[in-house]
Amino acid sequence: MGSNVFSPSALKVVLSRISYFRRIWEFRDLFLVFVWREFSVRYKHTLIGAAWAVIQPLSMMLLFTFVFSFVLKTQVSNYPYAVFFYSGLLPWMFFDSAIKYSVPSFTAHYGLITKIYFPREIIPFSCISVAVVDFVISFVVYLFLLLFFDIPLTVNIFYLLPLLFCMILFIASVSLILACLNVFYRDVRLAINFIMQLWFFATPVFYSTTQIKGTLKYVLYLNPMTFFVEGFRSCTLYGQPVDLGTLTLFTVLTFIALWITLKLFVRVERLFADVL
């Protein structure tokens, strides 16, 4: 009886359960085309191209460094302000960029959606992929900052891989929900900038949770981005490991959330052509 668990029929059932992910894989060539198109369109007719991915976090880092060094003169961290702020801005900018570009993605591609069929989730996922490319470019600058300030990298930097994987799952879930809602309610596109501003201040980008005591610290961790930002700092800047138990729990929860989101999305995507 145990052998039936691994029979071809049983395997077929398992694969059918994850068909929401499999259908994306079947259209992977189209997905790559969308990624290349999104990347090309984003930096088309620009003088410095992909360098904008570096300028944004760098400019914010310089602004925060100036404000907390000369205006407020507040001790935020024992680490150099430049690298501390940049380490918080890097994962946040990744999240912010992916959400803002993916939310209006369905309405921006209404011509394709109303004419031919393909897995619609490819569109916002391609926007997230471009944000990943921007993140990698900015991360190279981060490595140079660590080198400049003589901050050693430890083996704990490898925790960054599962942390980013979990973060991408989370971003995919949020972006797909918001992009879908934006098809039916265009208020989402108008409200997203306001929402992201509030989310930014609720995330420890220019401050650290180590400075916060009591119940407020646990409240901040209700925001998933708090875990991602602090985890990023932990394994790259502090040289400390990310808590594996928390990381595993976050990964499982985000994977389940993405699966449920895709399942619901498949049911409503057929309405897109009529609404758009």
Side-chain angles (χ1 to χ4, degrees), residues 6 30 80 97 100 135 185 216 271:
F6 301 99
L30 180 61
S97 175
K100 286 183 178 179
F135 174 83
Y185 308 101
L216 182 58
L271 303 174

Side-chain angles (χ1 to χ4, degrees), residues 24 80 110 141 154 175 228 239 249 272:
I24 299 176
Y110 70 91
V141 176
T154 67
S175 63
F228 294 127
L249 177 62
F272 283 4

Side-chain angles (χ1 to χ4, degrees), residues 73-257:
K73 297 183 179 180
T74 304
Q75 183 68 24
V76 177
S77 172
N78 294 326
Y79 289 87
Y81 278 174
V83 69
F84 176 79
F85 291 139
Y86 196 89
S87 65
L89 286 165
L90 200 54
W92 172 259
M93 289 276 185
F94 172 35
F95 173 67
D96 182 73
S97 175
I99 296 298
K100 286 183 178 179
Y101 278 105
S102 59
V103 165
S105 59
F106 289 138
T107 54
H109 293 83
Y110 70 91
L112 286 174
I113 292 176
T114 54
K115 292 179 181 178
I116 60 174
Y117 173 76
F118 59 92
R120 314 301 192 198
E121 60 269 30
I122 286 179
I123 299 177
F125 288 172
S126 64
C127 296
I128 297 172
S129 299
V130 176
V132 172
V133 175
D134 289 346
F135 174 83
V136 172
I137 296 172
S138 301
F139 185 74
V140 173
V141 176
Y142 179 58
L143 293 177
F144 279 108
L145 282 174
L146 293 175
L147 181 64
F148 178 80
F149 288 103
D150 197 26
I151 299 175
L153 291 175
T154 67
V155 293
N156 290 319
I157 195 175
F158 289 106
Y159 280 96
L160 190 60
L161 296 177
L163 185 69
L164 287 177
F165 174 74
C166 181
M167 187 175 177
I168 290 172
L169 291 179
F170 172 71
I171 292 174
S173 300
V174 175
S175 63
L176 192 59
I177 292 173
L178 293 178
C180 184
L181 287 174
N182 186 60
V183 173
F184 301 97
Y185 308 101
R186 303 303 166 86
D187 307 78
V188 176
R189 181 181 61 83
L190 299 174
I192 193 63
N193 290 328
F194 172 69
I195 293 172
M196 296 306 290
Q197 285 178 1
L198 293 179
W199 206 329
F200 172 79
F201 288 105
T203 303
V205 175
F206 57 90
Y207 58 91
S208 175
T209 56
T210 57
Q211 300 172 306
I212 302 172
K213 307 296 181 182
T215 308
L216 182 58
K217 183 173 183 178
Y218 296 101
V219 172
L220 282 176
Y221 270 97
L222 293 176
N223 170 17
M225 284 305 299
T226 298
F227 170 72
F228 294 127
V229 170
E230 287 294 288
F232 182 85
R233 280 194 178 121
S234 180
C235 63
T236 59
L237 182 59
Y238 305 153
Q240 299 174 357
V242 178
D243 184 73
L244 280 178
T246 307
L247 179 59
T248 303
L249 177 62
F250 262 85
T251 304
V252 172
L253 290 177
T254 51
F255 189 85
I256 293 174

